[in-house]
Amino acid sequence: RASSSRSACFSARARASVVAADRSLVILGGTGDVAVSTDNWRFDPRAGRWAPLGPAGLAPDARYLATVWMPDAREVFLWRTLERQGVRVTLDGVARPLPTQGAPQTFVQRAVWVAGHVFVGGSTAEGDHDEFALYDPRADRWETVLAPREQTSRGSYAMVANEREVVVWGGSDATTGTGTPRADGWRFDVPTRRWSSVSQVGAPAARWGHGGWWVDDAVLVWGGTDGSRVVRAGGLYRATPDAWRPTTSLGAPGPSESTGSFEHPAVWTGGDLYAWTLTPSGEASAGRYDPRVDRWFPADPPPRAAVRRESSSVWVDCALYVVGGRDVQRQHIIK
């Protein structure tokens, strides 16, 4: 989306946390040219208006934020992984701290909204169990979610949720995302508090750093890397009947063969998956994937996509917003 209406006070940043919140865009944190960004903003696309949210309880060195919109509470959940503490923030910028009793103690990687709760997933040392927890905004209370003994620790996994269930799939054996890629996963039913395994029959190739989206009655997995090459393929998983369907790579963005690494951001638009790739040689390509017909369609990449790295993206009110990033040609942070 064109940024001509952006507030002049908005500081340039990379790796910002962006949240789609009640048809508005909330931008939290990020890394600037010389320091961590502590100015936080809300953008209303309908009014074309920017509003500062204040520090929202962010420490000067706060990074690696796990965020999600809590529609029932009409607040943004924000967990500061490095500090092991968090806040809940209204769209007017009023923040109050999250309780620490029962809160996750490990590195939190993901946060999703499911069945009136925030479900967070963390990582521990290789071989140990990942730490999962539920936060109830109505009771303002944490609940530990015990993982099955067979569910060993993983990092850089995809975690998606629908109205009642969370699916965790893929990732790396090492929490840093550099270990052996995985092609297994688990499901967690929130109302019953029960785990079940995800079928590995017909599952996509092992990977980490991939994306995952809940699409109607299925989980769409796409992208990522197997540690040596970029993966331009994915799969659709349905809990009933616990089965996978491969997705086509024909027409997917990016070179057909690549042994290097490059970014491949993607967002679910509500009707299809819009993805684009940024190669080390400065090439950019994009496409839209329709799972109903298992087909990729050509699309234009976002502005400055060929030089923009470490940006954040979100789909809000029928439009794609790409926030910040690092200009690899001029070597500076951009808005």
Side-chain angles (χ1 to χ4, degrees):
R1 186 74 177 248
S3 58
S4 58
S5 60
R6 183 178 54 238
S7 169
C9 299
F10 180 84
S11 64
R13 65 195 68 196
R15 298 183 178 180
S17 294
V18 294
V19 182
D22 194 23
R23 299 183 68 184
S24 63
L25 172 65
V26 174
I27 305 171
L28 299 160
T31 303
D33 278 314
V34 295
V36 174
S37 301
T38 56
D39 58 312
N40 307 292
W41 295 83
R42 176 193 177 194
F43 176 67
D44 184 345
R46 291 162 289 178
R49 182 183 305 120
W50 287 84
L53 287 182
L58 288 176
D61 60 347
R63 290 170 292 170
Y64 307 110
L65 310 178
T67 59
V68 71
W69 171 242
M70 301 186 293
D72 292 357
R74 293 186 57 78
E75 294 175 305
V76 175
F77 169 94
L78 186 155
W79 185 257
R80 304 193 305 247
T81 286
L82 296 184
E83 293 82 8
R84 306 293 193 266
Q85 57 183 310
V87 293
R88 47 194 296 180
V89 187
T90 70
L91 293 183
D92 295 325
V94 179
R96 57 184 172 123
L98 294 174
T100 56
Q101 182 177 359
Q105 298 299 309
T106 57
F107 190 97
V108 172
Q109 290 196 324
R110 302 284 188 275
V112 294
W113 176 257
V114 55
H117 296 74
V118 176
F119 183 91
V120 299
S123 291
T124 55
E126 184 176 357
D128 294 334
H129 284 71
D130 281 339
E131 183 180 28
F132 297 98
L134 282 169
Y135 172 70
D136 185 344
R138 291 163 295 186
D140 193 27
R141 183 178 59 197
W142 286 98
E143 174 187 342
T144 300
V145 176
L146 297 178
R149 183 180 299 274
E150 299 83 4
Q151 188 176 338
T152 55
S153 177
R154 71 186 70 206
S156 300
Y157 49 80
M159 189 171 82
V160 297
N162 62 4
E163 291 80 7
R164 63 173 291 158
E165 189 175 40
V166 182
V167 173
V168 177
W169 189 86
S172 166
D173 282 339
T175 57
T176 57
T178 58
T180 303
R182 303 177 63 159
D184 63 336
W186 294 82
R187 298 155 45 198
F188 180 72
D189 186 83
V190 175
T192 63
R193 303 297 198 267
R194 291 182 179 177
W195 287 96
S196 57
S197 61
V198 170
S199 173
Q200 298 184 45
V201 177
R207 69 196 65 196
W208 51 265
H210 51 290
W213 304 266
W214 207 290
V215 180
D216 297 329
D217 62 341
V219 174
L220 171 63
V221 171
W222 186 80
T225 176
D226 63 7
S228 61
R229 66 182 183 87
V230 173
V231 181
R232 298 173 57 253
L236 276 170
Y237 171 76
R238 286 183 169 84
T240 304
D242 189 25
W244 286 93
R245 189 198 83 189
T247 62
T248 182
S249 297
L250 183 64
S256 58
E257 295 293 337
S258 176
T259 56
S261 62
F262 56 85
E263 294 186 37
H264 47 287
V267 296
W268 179 253
T269 69
D272 55 22
L273 180 70
Y274 174 78
W276 66 101
T277 59
L278 319 170
T279 68
S281 60
E283 300 174 357
S285 61
R288 303 179 77 113
Y289 175 73
D290 187 340
R292 294 164 294 187
V293 296
D294 189 29
R295 182 179 173 185
W296 283 95
F297 297 89
D300 293 329
R304 304 178 67 183
V307 299
R308 189 193 300 255
R309 301 291 186 275
E310 301 175 5
S311 62
S312 304
S313 55
V314 66
W315 186 265
V316 178
D317 202 25
C318 301
L320 171 69
Y321 291 84
V322 180
V323 179
R326 188 183 306 275
D327 189 319
V328 294
Q329 289 185 350
R330 299 179 181 179
Q331 296 299 313
H332 70 93
I333 303 296
I334 56 180
K335 294 183 180 180

